[in-house]
Amino acid sequence: MARDWFEFVKQVQDIARAVPKTDQPDDIFFKACLNKLCALSLNLNGNAYMLIDSDVASHIIKQYQETK
């Protein structure tokens, strides 16, 4: 499960890093990456899934934009 978790986090990072620093939430690429983050899921022990909602996804993208 740890490997799955690290792969999930890497996917989140890769998607968030792809958004240009100047993109705003209403820009097409920002929205596409936001939707891609929301579509990710991580199966936890076959019983539950880790999902990212749009507010959290937007926050993740903005945090990565600040580090550029």
Side-chain angles (χ1 to χ4, degrees), residues 31-46:
K31 287 180 182 178
C33 289
L34 182 99
N35 290 336
K36 195 166 184 175
L37 283 174
C38 292
L40 290 178
S41 64
L42 175 66
N43 189 343
L44 303 171
N45 297 328

Side-chain angles (χ1 to χ4, degrees), residues 11-23:
Q11 287 179 321
V12 169
Q13 290 175 332
D14 290 345
I15 294 166
R17 285 183 181 143
V19 180
K21 185 175 185 166
T22 57
D23 269 19

Side-chain angles (χ1 to χ4, degrees), residues 2-68:
R3 182 176 181 194
D4 293 339
W5 173 253
F6 287 115
E7 288 176 12
F8 178 78
V9 171
K10 176 147 179 28
Q11 287 179 321
V12 169
Q13 290 175 332
D14 290 345
I15 294 166
R17 285 183 181 143
V19 180
K21 185 175 185 166
T22 57
D23 269 19
Q24 299 297 316
D26 57 341
D27 290 332
I28 293 171
F29 193 73
F30 189 103
K31 287 180 182 178
C33 289
L34 182 99
N35 290 336
K36 195 166 184 175
L37 283 174
C38 292
L40 290 178
S41 64
L42 175 66
N43 189 343
L44 303 171
N45 297 328
N47 298 333
Y49 288 90
M50 170 89 175
L51 301 172
I52 300 173
D53 72 6
S54 61
D55 291 336
V56 173
S58 180
H59 179 74
I60 291 169
I61 290 171
K62 288 176 184 174
Q63 290 297 311
Y64 274 97
Q65 284 180 316
E66 290 178 11
T67 63
K68 291 183 178 181

